[in-house]
Amino acid sequence: MSKPGLNLFLEELESHCYQQAIATFLNSKGECFVVDLTRKGKVVTYGCDRYTKNLFGNQLVEGCSPTASLILRSFTAEVDRFTQLPVKELRGYVLKSSGGDLTFDKLPPKLMFACQNTDAETGEPLPLEQSVRYC
């Protein structure tokens, strides 16, 4: 069965995997699923075995009823001159299940910044993380 929405979303994630990335998926039950992505040339691999991409895709489609979220942390080749750490790009997505497939919306950078730098319980600002670009 073809899942064009899922395929489009995986292409979106892979387009932001420059060398390495980490996808953190939080399903509608509050369960977390984390997958490492690694690029070698034009090929992006998911996890450490050939079944991980299919397992991840199934988790995305099945865990989005009614909605779920995913944060993608992409590590760039750029090194921050102050921290000497690779610059990390953060992207956030809201995922929805739709007829056995997936739809998604990308969070705007300003909202990503607010989500990542605000204490969820108190609403107070958190210390800013260095070497991070919100995309």
Side-chain angles (χ1 to χ4, degrees), residues 12 34 41 45 50 52 55 58 73 84 94 119 121 134-135:
E12 164 73 11
V34 180
T45 56
R50 62 185 174 153
T52 302
L55 176 63
N58 289 336
R73 292 165 176 80
Q84 297 302 303
V94 175
D119 185 301
E121 291 182 16
Y134 300 89
C135 304

Side-chain angles (χ1 to χ4, degrees), residues 59-99:
Q59 288 284 328
L60 291 174
V61 173
E62 293 170 11
C64 292
S65 181
T67 61
S69 62
L70 185 137
I71 302 294
L72 182 67
R73 292 165 176 80
S74 304
F75 299 92
T76 69
E78 182 182 347
V79 175
D80 182 85
R81 64 183 179 160
F82 297 110
T83 65
Q84 297 302 303
L85 296 170
V87 173
K88 177 173 53 174
E89 294 182 349
L90 285 171
R91 290 174 177 79
Y93 302 89
V94 175
L95 310 173
K96 298 174 189 159
S97 181
S98 176

Side-chain angles (χ1 to χ4, degrees), residues 6-81:
L6 173 62
N7 293 337
L8 186 63
F9 184 63
L10 294 177
E11 288 175 17
E12 164 73 11
L13 297 181
E14 291 176 16
S15 75
H16 300 296
C17 178
Y18 312 113
Q19 296 169 348
Q20 291 186 314
I22 301 170
T24 304
F25 173 61
L26 184 63
N27 71 19
S28 58
K29 296 177 185 176
E31 301 164 334
C32 191
F33 190 89
V34 180
V35 176
D36 295 328
L37 286 74
T38 305
R39 177 176 293 281
K40 291 184 181 171
K42 293 183 179 185
V43 177
V44 174
T45 56
Y46 291 69
C48 57
D49 68 49
R50 62 185 174 153
Y51 303 108
T52 302
K53 184 174 182 178
N54 287 337
L55 176 63
F56 181 55
N58 289 336
Q59 288 284 328
L60 291 174
V61 173
E62 293 170 11
C64 292
S65 181
T67 61
S69 62
L70 185 137
I71 302 294
L72 182 67
R73 292 165 176 80
S74 304
F75 299 92
T76 69
E78 182 182 347
V79 175
D80 182 85
R81 64 183 179 160

